[in-house]
Amino acid sequence: METAKIIADPEFRIGEVDPRLYGSFIEHLGRAVYNGIYEPGHPTADDMGFRRDVMDIVREVGVPIVRYPGGNFVSGYNWRDGVGPKEKRPRRLDLAWRSLETNEVGTDEFCEWARRVGTEVNMAVNLGTAGIDEARSLVEYCNHPGGSLYSDMRIANGYREPHKIKTWCLGNEMDGPWQMGHKTADEYGRLATETAVAMKWVDPTIELVACGSSHRKMPTFGQWEATVLDHVYQYVDYISLHQYYHKTDNDLGTFLAQTVQMDDFIRSVVSTADYVRAKKGHTKRLYLSFDEWNVWYQNPVDKEIMQKTPWQVAPPLYEAPYTHEDALVVGMMLITLLRNADRVKIACLAQLINTIAPISTVTGGPAWRQATYYPYMHASCYGRGTVLNLQVRTPSYSNKTFDAVPLLDAVAVLDEEHEQMTVFAVNRGQDGALPLEGDLRGIGGYQVLEHITLEHSDPLARNTAEQPNEVVPHTRGDAQLSDGRLTATLPKLSWNVIRLGKNRG
Ligand code: AHR
C-alpha cells in the first residue's frame, strides 16, 4: 500500500476553533426530551426529573452549546405554552412530528438542564406560524434582567437571573415545503430582517443565525442564500447549513466519499456570503453555522408510527442504532468542519439523545453510547485550539460516483495553551491499512501521548443496550514521533486520534 504523507507546521494556520463547533441539538422530537433528558420516574432522576446518567455522558463530551427546541417543531411552537405552572400548560398537537406535546419541559426547564450539564443554549424562534412579536418577547423573557412584562414573568416563574442566551436562530429550514409557514426567499428575508432588528433592540449583545438551505440538493440552493442575504446580511452574524448523509444501495465507497461534497457545500455558501458582501459593500464578514449535521436513516417504521399511531407522547422516532461505518462518516464530517474553522464557527450534531443521536436510553433503564459518540467526543475533547493548514498527499480511489476520493482524510489542531497537538485521521480504505508519514519538524520537542483508534472487523457492527461496548476505541495505535518525523499505521476503515504533547522530560 502506498504511503500517505502529511506536513503540519504551526506557522501555517487555517483559523481558531470556536468551541461552539462541537455543539449539538435537542428537539421536541421522539424521545429526545421526554424519556431522553427528562424522565422524572427514572432511578437516576434529579429533583427536576432530569436523568443524571444522561447528564454525566453529555458532560463527558463537553458539549459547548445545544440548539433547542427545534427543528421543524419550532415552526409551530408557542413558547408561552411551555412556561409557568406545569399543571396549567396545554397539551398541543405537534404537527411537525404528529406527536402530542405535553409542554412539561419548556424554556426554563431546558435552560436549567443546560446549566446543570454546563452547556449554553442556542435558541431557535418560530418564524413559521409566529413572527416578530413572539420572537422579541422570548428574548425579553430570557435575557432582560427585570421590570418588564416578560422578564417579570420569568422571575415569577422562579428564575430571577436571566438565562443570558447569546446565540439565536431565526426560524428553521424556512426554504422547505415541509416546514409550517414555509416561505419564499424574499418573504423569509424580509421577516428575518424585521425580526432580527426587534430582537437586537431588546438585547443588542445577542448573535443571530439566518436560515440557509435545508441541504445542498434543495432546488433553490444558492439563490436562496443570495436572496435572503440581500435582505438580512447586515443584521445577522451567521447563515445556517444543514446536511444529513446515509448509505444507499449498500455502496460503502460512495457513502464514505460524501464528505467531499460537504466541503464543497461549505465553500459554496462562503462564496455566496462573500458575493453579497462585495455587492452591497459591507465590511462585516459573515460566518457559517452548520447547525444540523449527521448520518440519518429515515426508516419506514418511523413513518408508520407517525401515520398509523399519531399523537403519542414521545414516540420512539429515528432511533436506529449507528454502525461503525456511520461513525467514520461522522468523524469525517467533523474533520471537514475543522478544515473550514476559519468560516464555520457553530455546528450542531443533530441530535444528542435518542433521536438521530450518539447517546441512547432505555426508558426506566440504562443509557449507552452509540458508535458515533466516539469521534464526536474525541473531537470535542482534543480538537480545541488552532487548525493548522495541513498538507496532505494520499492515495485515492474512484467509483461510479466519485473520482479520486482521498483514502486519508485528516486535520491537525494545535492547542498552544496546553502545548498539545492532535491529528484526526480516517482511513477510508476498505482493503487494508494505510501507512502514514508526517513531517512535523515545525513543532519541536513533542512526543506521542496516545494513538486512539476506532476500528472493527465488521463495518456494520453497532452498540445496543444489550451490547453497549461492541464498537469502542482502543489505545493500541502504533504512532511514533522521532526527530519531527511521525509514522503510524491507520487500520482499514478506521478513525484515529494521534495525540502529541510537549516532551517535559
Ligand atoms: O433533526 C431532525 C429534523 O431534520 C429537524 O427537525 C429539521 O430541521 C431537519 O429537517
Side-chain angles (χ1 to χ4, degrees):
M1 170 67 69
E2 207 188 318
T3 300
K5 295 197 170 149
I6 56 171
I7 306 174
D9 190 318
E11 298 285 331
F12 301 99
R13 299 162 176 232
I14 287 179
E16 294 303 303
V17 178
D18 186 316
R20 291 175 298 174
L21 200 70
Y22 303 117
S24 190
F25 177 29
I26 294 182
E27 176 169 4
H28 283 246
L29 193 190
R31 297 192 310 124
V33 174
Y34 306 111
N35 292 340
I37 61 167
Y38 177 77
E39 194 186 329
H42 192 270
T44 70
D46 69 9
D47 58 315
M48 284 186 72
F50 296 128
R51 281 184 65 153
R52 284 200 182 88
D53 57 345
V54 171
M55 290 200 278
D56 286 345
I57 303 181
V58 175
R59 283 193 203 103
E60 199 174 276
V61 177
V63 180
I65 190 163
V66 181
R67 187 165 172 254
Y68 174 85
N72 297 342
F73 172 81
V74 79
S75 297
Y77 182 55
N78 183 342
W79 66 265
R80 288 184 186 83
D81 292 346
V83 297
K86 287 199 179 187
E87 61 287 359
K88 290 201 178 138
R89 297 186 191 176
R91 290 161 81 85
R92 292 262 199 185
L93 297 186
D94 161 29
L95 305 185
W97 305 111
R98 291 173 65 78
S99 308
L100 193 68
E101 174 55 53
T102 64
N103 283 305
E104 262 178 90
V105 172
T107 302
D108 292 321
E109 289 81 17
F110 190 75
C111 290
E112 183 56 34
W113 178 82
R115 244 185 307 274
R116 290 181 185 200
V117 297
T119 191
E120 268 180 49
V121 176
N122 171 1
M123 184 69 85
V125 300
N126 176 353
L127 290 190
T129 61
I132 306 169
D133 196 38
E134 302 259 329
R136 59 123 185 188
S137 307
L138 183 56
V139 178
E140 182 184 323
Y141 184 88
C142 292
N143 287 9
H144 198 67
S148 67
L149 175 66
Y150 292 110
S151 56
D152 285 347
M153 189 187 282
R154 182 198 68 239
I155 293 168
N157 288 338
Y159 293 86
R160 165 147 291 287
E161 286 304 310
H163 296 313
K164 296 190 184 131
I165 298 175
K166 174 182 168 192
T167 314
W168 296 76
C169 297
L170 292 162
N172 177 69
E173 295 190 349
M174 299 311 303
D175 62 326
W178 57 86
Q179 200 71 213
M180 263 176 284
H182 159 231
K183 291 175 176 49
T184 65
D186 276 309
E187 287 166 348
Y188 172 69
R190 284 284 305 126
L191 179 60
T193 301
E194 294 306 322
T195 308
V197 169
M199 290 169 77
K200 285 196 175 176
W201 276 341
V202 178
D203 182 353
T205 69
I206 61 176
E207 291 191 342
L208 296 174
V209 184
C211 286
S213 296
S214 299
H215 55 80
R216 170 69 182 81
K217 292 198 173 141
M218 287 300 286
T220 48
F221 173 63
Q223 190 58 55
W224 171 273
E225 281 74 5
T227 307
V228 167
L229 290 179
D230 254 349
H231 289 281
V232 81
Y233 191 100
Q234 68 192 93
Y235 305 104
V236 298
D237 307 279
Y238 309 90
I239 177 96
S240 76
L241 298 82
H242 290 181
Q243 188 68 55
Y244 296 92
Y245 293 123
H246 61 275
K247 189 168 83 168
T248 47
D249 304 327
N250 208 21
D251 182 351
L252 182 54
T254 297
F255 181 42
L256 296 174
Q258 285 178 101
T259 47
V260 174
Q261 288 177 339
M262 183 176 175
D263 215 76
D264 182 66
F265 183 20
I266 292 172
R267 282 192 217 146
S268 305
V269 176
V270 167
S271 306
T272 311
D274 289 350
Y275 154 74
V276 177
R277 176 176 184 254
K279 190 175 71 158
K280 297 263 185 173
H282 295 300
T283 47
K284 173 178 94 176
R285 198 172 287 289
L286 205 74
Y287 293 97
L288 272 50
S289 171
F290 213 124
D291 48 35
E292 285 189 38
W293 68 269
N294 205 345
V295 171
W296 183 8
Y297 294 92
Q298 305 198 31
N299 295 319
V301 61
D302 300 302
K303 255 205 179 108
E304 216 172 281
I305 292 175
M306 288 185 276
Q307 279 167 2
K308 296 202 176 140
T309 50
W311 318 125
Q312 296 180 57
V313 176
L317 290 173
Y318 309 121
E319 296 195 12
Y322 283 111
T323 61
H324 173 67
E325 60 193 30
D326 295 333
L328 298 181
V329 173
V330 164
M332 287 186 286
M333 291 181 92
L334 285 158
I335 288 173
T336 307
L337 291 168
L338 279 166
R339 240 195 325 259
N340 291 283
D342 54 334
R343 294 305 287 271
V344 183
K345 294 296 173 188
I346 304 171
C348 302
L349 173 65
Q351 300 191 8
L352 189 57
I353 317 289
N354 286 330
T355 309
I356 333 173
I359 302 168
S360 298
T361 70
V362 174
T363 303
W368 78 97
R369 296 158 188 79
Q370 296 277 344
T372 53
Y373 168 89
Y374 293 102
Y376 178 47
M377 179 269 285
H378 290 150
S380 175
C381 292
Y382 306 125
R384 313 269 175 141
T386 308
V387 182
L388 299 185
N389 190 350
L390 194 72
Q391 299 301 299
V392 178
R393 215 193 69 190
T394 166
S396 59
Y397 67 92
S398 298
N399 65 14
K400 61 184 189 314
T401 329
F402 286 94
D403 216 17
V405 180
L407 281 184
L408 172 69
D409 197 11
V411 73
V413 184
L414 179 68
D415 177 351
E416 284 175 305
E417 189 190 336
H418 299 102
E419 297 188 302
Q420 293 192 359
M421 185 172 111
T422 305
V423 176
F424 298 104
V426 168
N427 174 10
R428 285 186 174 103
Q430 300 181 48
D431 298 327
L434 181 63
L436 175 70
E437 276 177 26
D439 178 347
L440 308 187
R441 282 172 296 177
I443 51 154
Y446 274 48
Q447 62 183 13
V448 174
L449 301 177
E450 61 179 348
H451 174 177
I452 306 169
T453 304
L454 188 68
E455 59 177 328
H456 203 287
S457 54
D458 176 6
L460 298 178
R462 49 187 69 186
N463 295 336
T464 58
E466 296 72 35
Q467 280 186 299
N469 296 320
E470 184 57 39
V471 186
V472 287
H474 65 75
T475 52
R476 299 187 300 277
D478 67 357
Q480 288 187 18
L481 183 63
S482 135
D483 296 332
R485 298 270 171 204
L486 177 75
T487 57
T489 311
L490 310 182
K492 73 173 180 182
L493 294 175
S494 64
W495 158 259
N496 298 269
V497 183
I498 302 173
R499 299 185 52 226
L500 310 164
K502 192 86 173 172
N503 191 344
R504 294 174 197 284

